[in-house]
Amino acid sequence: MMNRADAVYIHIPFCKKICHYCAFNKYFYDGQPVGRYLTGLANEMRLYMDEVESTKPFDTIYVGGGTPSCLNIEELTHLLESIQQILTYDDQTEYTFEINPGELTPEKCRLLKSFGVNRVSMGVQSFNDLLLRKIGRNHRERHVYQCIEWLREAGLTNLSIDLIFRLPGQTLADFDDSLTKALSLNLPHYSLYSLIIENQTVFQQLQREGKLPLPSEDVDADMFELAIRRLQEHGIEQYEVSNFARPGFESRHNLKYWHYTPYYGFGAGAHGFIDNVRYYNNGPVHHYLKATEANQKPVVNRLPLTESDQMEEFLFLALRTTRGFYLSEFAERFNQDATELFDDFFVQQQHNGLLNIADDHVYLTNRGLFLADSVFRNLLGTITK
């Protein structure tokens, strides 16, 4: 029998509309074999759970996408029943469901609550209806307020929203207005992302054609600094590069990733991390179904991690958090001295004002958090041989 991970990610790859910036594994909902997919998903979860003896409740379950909320009531019930029957959880489990504001109903809210969902993450992105149209969202500002009301009426109060900044044509004043409206909701958690132009997206094509007027890097930095300041003024602290929460409301599931702990990934295009192996599922739904309907795991690739891989991953995941990591933690996990292994990297990043080392504690500076992707690119391959 294998050791069981304590966290689960479940991917629902269907969307009623494909956003112009999104590169996640997703497909138009209409015409898809959704019922077959949900049955295949249940088969996949059973294959993994049959390998373990533990009946201890999972610490976190996260249902993302795609757009899980695009499922109709029958499909949503099918999904929630499968999770309830196959995965062990209780009222201490952080059970998160991603939703889009334009696709929620009071009935769906009550259904989520009845199956033990206790945290909801909502893709808002902006409170400007013109920008929402520009980026391909199918909701408008009014839907956000309506959904928050429905969720709270159903007893779901641990809520988070996503906002994106550096959108095409977006000004600092417009982003400030979205922040004001977001903060007026008085939520315990906010996620903020600077727009990244991903491969094979509408935005990438528009950029190639010179038709994507993005704010400058300076404005991008100003937006990020504005967000940090305004959230702090409301008692909401940054705890990871893109995530902010009131004390005690940090996403336990996302912290699993950043603390480098194992997790299952179920669904088309999902990936997991078990026994120091990263595995990746088939992305196309028909390939995923071919495996799961034959009672086979839909894994398309397994990547066993060398100890060097693990040490680098531990660092760049931990350094995404404002907490960073402790040298003693690293030594206990790997029986190695991080200051010797990563000496050149540490010296360079400290010299650039991006990294602090205070006794046992290693963490990025505020500037380092903003330039985190650059820091991590410099980290890879730097272990002293």
Side-chain angles (χ1 to χ4, degrees):
M1 285 287 181
M2 296 173 60
N3 291 326
R4 199 201 72 183
D6 210 21
V8 173
Y9 173 78
I10 298 168
H11 192 70
I12 306 300
F14 308 118
C15 296
K16 290 288 180 71
K17 189 172 184 182
I18 305 297
C19 300
H20 298 342
Y21 54 84
C22 181
F24 291 131
N25 190 52
K26 77 284 181 190
Y27 303 93
F28 281 114
Y29 170 88
D30 294 341
Q32 290 290 337
V34 179
R36 283 177 61 200
Y37 179 82
L38 297 175
T39 299
L41 186 61
N43 289 345
E44 182 191 7
M45 291 191 289
R46 281 197 187 92
L47 286 170
Y48 281 88
M49 292 306 100
D50 285 347
E51 294 175 343
V52 297
E53 290 179 340
S54 174
T55 56
K56 178 186 170 188
F58 280 95
D59 186 49
T60 68
I61 298 172
Y62 192 107
V63 183
T67 317
S69 57
C70 79
L71 302 179
N72 64 35
I73 284 294
E74 291 74 23
E75 292 160 348
L76 193 54
T77 302
H78 183 174
L79 171 64
L80 292 164
E81 285 179 344
S82 295
I83 294 170
Q84 185 183 61
Q85 291 163 8
I86 300 165
L87 305 179
T88 308
Y89 62 92
D90 61 18
D91 59 4
Q92 298 303 304
T93 302
E94 181 192 80
Y95 189 173
T96 304
F97 218 89
E98 283 186 357
I99 65 108
N100 273 355
E103 295 162 352
L104 210 57
T105 63
E107 188 180 7
K108 287 182 182 180
C109 294
R110 292 191 293 270
L111 186 67
L112 293 174
K113 175 68 174 175
S114 71
F115 276 91
V117 173
N118 53 26
R119 186 175 182 274
V120 171
S121 178
M122 186 186 301
V124 172
Q125 318 316 0
S126 173
F127 285 82
N128 179 323
D129 283 354
L130 181 61
L131 275 178
L132 288 170
R133 278 194 292 273
K134 272 188 183 179
I135 65 178
R137 299 293 288 172
N138 64 355
H139 76 273
R140 298 295 176 256
E141 179 186 354
R142 68 182 186 278
H143 295 125
V144 178
Y145 304 121
Q146 182 67 82
C147 284
I148 295 289
E149 185 180 332
W150 287 337
L151 287 163
R152 286 173 169 162
E153 284 175 354
L156 289 160
T157 57
N158 189 0
L159 308 178
S160 175
I161 63 171
D162 293 355
L163 293 177
I164 300 179
F165 56 96
R166 197 182 168 234
L167 294 170
Q170 188 178 38
T171 64
L172 188 61
D174 173 80
F175 180 56
D176 194 21
D177 182 60
S178 276
L179 283 172
T180 297
K181 291 172 177 175
L183 288 164
S184 74
L185 297 172
N186 194 28
L187 304 178
H189 192 284
Y190 296 83
S191 298
L192 282 85
Y193 302 97
S194 175
L195 179 69
I196 297 172
I197 306 303
E198 303 277 10
N199 292 333
Q200 297 180 314
T201 60
V202 172
F203 274 176
Q204 186 190 50
Q205 185 60 37
L206 288 173
Q207 188 178 53
R208 284 173 174 166
E209 296 170 2
K211 298 177 182 177
L212 196 69
L214 296 177
S216 69
E217 287 186 5
D218 285 345
V219 173
D220 184 25
D222 290 344
M223 288 176 172
F224 191 54
E225 289 172 5
L226 174 69
I228 292 171
R229 186 174 74 250
R230 294 215 54 201
L231 288 160
Q232 280 180 337
E233 288 168 356
H234 284 74
I236 301 159
E237 295 292 333
Q238 184 181 23
Y239 69 96
E240 189 268 346
V241 171
S242 302
N243 286 274
F244 303 74
R246 298 190 188 283
F249 287 93
E250 298 83 1
S251 166
R252 277 164 35 201
H253 183 81
N254 286 342
L255 284 169
K256 299 284 186 190
Y257 302 147
W258 303 319
H259 291 166
Y260 208 46
T261 53
Y263 62 92
Y264 294 106
F266 299 135
H271 55 84
F273 177 48
I274 304 290
D275 293 334
N276 293 320
V277 175
R278 291 203 179 278
Y279 69 87
Y280 302 84
N281 279 354
N282 267 307
V285 170
H286 63 286
H287 288 163
Y288 176 83
L289 289 177
K290 186 176 180 181
T292 55
E293 290 178 348
N295 285 317
Q296 296 171 350
K297 291 179 180 178
V299 175
V300 69
N301 191 25
R302 286 183 174 84
L303 182 63
L305 300 178
T306 67
E307 188 173 47
S308 291
D309 293 334
Q310 293 170 45
M311 290 189 287
E312 285 186 351
E313 287 195 359
F314 177 89
L315 251 68
F316 75 69
L317 289 168
L319 288 174
R320 285 191 62 90
T321 67
T322 53
R323 173 187 180 271
F325 72 97
Y326 290 87
L327 296 169
S328 52
E329 287 177 317
F330 186 93
E332 184 177 345
R333 182 168 188 141
F334 297 108
N335 197 29
Q336 300 264 18
D337 183 344
T339 56
E340 292 181 5
L341 287 168
F342 295 96
D343 181 56
D344 291 345
F345 168 75
F346 286 163
V347 169
Q348 179 195 10
Q349 301 309 313
Q350 284 180 287
H351 176 74
N352 293 338
L354 305 178
L355 184 81
N356 282 332
I357 301 179
D359 296 326
D360 190 37
H361 194 192
V362 183
Y363 58 98
L364 293 184
T365 62
N366 288 340
R367 184 163 174 265
L369 287 168
F370 181 71
L371 298 172
D373 287 343
S374 171
V375 174
F376 301 147
R377 280 195 297 273
N378 290 327
L379 167 65
L380 298 178
T382 59
I383 288 182
T384 305
K385 302 302 180 190

